[in-house]
C-alpha cells in the first residue's frame, strides 16, 4: 500500500505556465490513493481548464471565495481543515507575495491565511522574477512562517530563458509530500512540545524598544530536534532572523506579555522548553506618540515587572506540562543560580549556560551547558547549539516515555 493512501491533499493551483504539470501531479497522487481537492486561482484557469482538473480529481474544483453554496456546505475553512497538507503548485511570485504579506482577497489566499496545516510550496516563475530581491524576501518570510519549499529547478524556461525558476517535477513534489506527511516516526510521535525562543521587545514608544541579543539559534535548534523526533512542535518566538525549522508551527510575538498569552494558548502540552530571553521588565507607560527630544533633559523611564512565563506555566495546576524545562543565563555563580531558578520557578530541569561576553553564547553557534535537576548536574560541551538541542531532546524523550 502507498505511504500516501487515504491522505487528503488540498492542491492550490496558481496561474503560471507550469500549471499544466499540476495535472500530472494530480494523476500521480490519485494513483497513490490520495484524495485531491483543488482550489484554482482566476489566473490558473487561463492555463488549465477546471473541467480537466475536476475529471482527474473526481471532485468539484473550488475557485470562488463568495460562493453561497460552498459557504453553506463547508466554507473555505473546512477545505483546509479536512486536508492533511496544503500544496501550492505552481506557486507564482504573486501568490508567494500575497502569502508572505497575509493578503486574503481570493479563495486561494484566504485559505492559505486561515489554515493551521503545513503548507508545501513549489515555486515556478521566470528566472528574473525568482532572483529578484522582492521574491527572495518573500521566500525568506514564508520559510520563517514554517512553509516547506520544493524547487524550483534550473533549466530552459517556457519564456526561452535559462536558469532557476522551473517548477519541480511532479514526481519530486510527490516525494516532498511523502516526506512532509510520513516523517513522524520518532520517539516523540503523539507528543506536543512548546518551545519559546529569541528575545522579547518591550516598547518605549511607537519607534523605540528595549530588547537583548538573543538570536533564537538555540531555541530554533531545539524546535528542529523535537520535530525530527516526530513531535507536534509549537515555536513561540520573539523577532529573529533565523529561518523557521521545517515541520514546526511558528507563533511570532513581540513582548513578554504577548509571549505568555501565546504559550497559554498552546496548553495543554507534554513538554515545555523556555529558551527565550524574556525581558524581566517593561516600560510602565508606553508612550502612544514618539517621545520628543525637547531640550528639557533625558526622559525618565519607569519600569514594571513582566510576567514570568516559565513560572506561570510551571505552576499551572492541572494544565502543567508533563515536563517543564527552563534555561538559566548567568554571568556568575552559574550552578548556584540555576539551582535557585529550578526550585523558585518550579521546573523539572534547568539548562544553565554562562552568557559572559567572552563566551559568545548570545548569537554564537556554540554552547556549553549544564543540566541541573534535583538529583545532580550533567556538564555538556562545548557543543554546537544543534548538538545541545539533539542531546537535550533525546534526554527529554526518554523522560516522557513513561508518562501517559
Ligand atoms: O538565542 P541565542 O542567541 O541562541 O542564545 C541562547 C540563549 C542564551 C538566549 C539561551 O540559551 C538561554 O539561556 N535562554 C534563557 C535566557 C534567559 O532569559 O534566562 P534567565 O536566566 O533570565 O531566565 C530564566 C528562565 O526563565 C528562562 O527559561 C527564561 O526563558 C524564563 N523567563 C525569564 C523571564 C520571564 N519574564 N519569563 C520567563 O519565562
Amino acid at each position: 500500500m502507498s505511504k500516501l493512501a487515504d491522505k487528503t491533499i488540498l492542491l492550490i493551483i496558481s496561474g503560471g505556465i507550469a500549471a499544466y504539470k499540476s495535472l500530472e501531479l494530480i494523476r500521480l497522487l490519485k494513483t497513490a490513493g490520495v484524495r485531491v481537492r483543488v482550489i484554482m486561482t482566476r489566473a490558473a484557469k487561463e492555463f488549465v481548464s477546471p473541467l480537466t482538473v475536476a475529471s482527474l480529481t473526481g471532485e468539484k474544483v473550488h475557485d470562488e471565495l463568495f460562493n453561497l453554496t460552498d459557504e453553506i456546505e463547508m466554507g473555505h475553512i473546512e477545505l483546509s481543515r479536512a486536508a492533511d497538507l496544503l500544496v501550492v503548485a505552481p506557486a507564482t511570485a504573486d501568490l508567494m507575495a500575497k502569502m508572505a504579506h497575509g493578503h486574503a482577497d481570493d479563495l486561494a489566499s484566504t485559505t492559505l491565511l486561515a489554515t493551521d496545516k503545513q503548507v508545501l510550496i513549489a515555486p515556478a516563475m521566470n528566472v528574473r522574477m525568482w532572483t529578484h530581491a522582492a521574491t527572495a524576501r518573500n521566500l525568506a518570510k514564508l520559510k520563517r512562517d514554517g512553509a516547506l519549499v520544493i524547487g524550483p529547478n534550473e533549466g530552459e524556461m517556457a519564456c526561452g530563458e535559462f536558469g532557476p525558476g522551473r517548477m519541480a517535477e511532479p514526481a519530486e513534489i510527490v516525494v516532498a509530500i511523502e516526506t512532509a506527511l510520513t516523517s513522524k516516526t520518532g520517539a516523540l510521535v503523539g507528543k506536543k512540545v512548546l518551545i519559546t525562543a529569541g528575545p522579547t521587545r518591550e516598547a518605549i514608544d511607537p519607534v523605540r524598544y528595549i530588547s537583548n541579543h538573543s538570536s533564537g539559534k538555540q531555541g530554533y535548534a531545539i524546535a528542529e530536534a523535537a520535530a525530527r523526533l516526530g513531535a507536534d512542535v509549537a515555536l513561540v518566538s520573539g523577532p529573529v532572523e533565523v529561518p523557521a525549522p521545517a515541520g514546526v508551527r511558528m507563533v511570532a510575538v513581540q513582548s513578554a506579555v504577548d509571549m505568555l498569552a501565546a504559550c497559554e494558548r498552546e496548553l495543554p502540552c507534554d513538554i515545555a522548553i523556555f529558551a527565550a530571553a524574556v525581558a524581566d521588565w517593561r516600560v510602565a507607560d508606553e508612550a502612544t506618540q514618539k517621545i520628543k527630544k525637547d531640550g528639557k533633559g533625558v526622559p525618565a523611564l519607569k519600569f514594571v515587572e513582566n510576567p514570568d512565563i516559565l513560572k506561570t506555566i510551571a505552576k499551572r495546576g492541572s494544565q502543567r506540562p508533563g515536563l517543564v524545562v527552563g534555561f538559566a543565563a548567568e554571568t556568575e555563580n552559574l550552578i548556584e543560580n540555576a539551582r535557585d531558578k529550578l526550585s523558585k520557578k518550579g521546573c523539572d530541569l534547568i539548562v544553565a549556560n554562562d552568557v559572559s561576553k567572552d563566551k559568545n553564547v548570545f548569537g554564537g553557534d556554540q554552547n556549553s551547558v549544564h543540566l541541573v535537576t534535583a538529583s545532580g548536574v550533567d556538564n555538556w560541551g562545548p557543543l554546537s547549539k544543534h548538538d545541545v538541542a539533539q542531546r537535550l531532546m533525546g534526554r527529554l524523550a526518554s523522560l516522557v516515555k513513561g508518562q501517559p
Side-chain angles (χ1 to χ4, degrees), residues 117 145 192 194 205 222 242 356:
K117 296 293 169 63
D145 290 346
K192 178 166 177 185
L194 162 66
D205 66 15
I222 294 169
V242 191
S356 304

Side-chain angles (χ1 to χ4, degrees), residues 10 32 93 95 105 115 155 185 188 208 246 281 284 314 322 335-336 349 365:
L10 178 59
L95 186 54
D105 60 359
T115 191
T185 53
L188 289 177
R208 305 180 178 97
W281 307 281
I335 303 301
E336 197 184 321
L349 193 154
D365 293 320

Side-chain angles (χ1 to χ4, degrees), residues 48-69:
V48 289
S49 123
L51 185 61
T52 314
V53 173
S55 312
L56 286 171
T57 58
E59 305 247 2
K60 172 182 172 176
V61 170
H62 302 272
D63 53 6
E64 281 179 51
L65 182 55
F66 299 110
N67 180 315
L68 193 57
T69 323

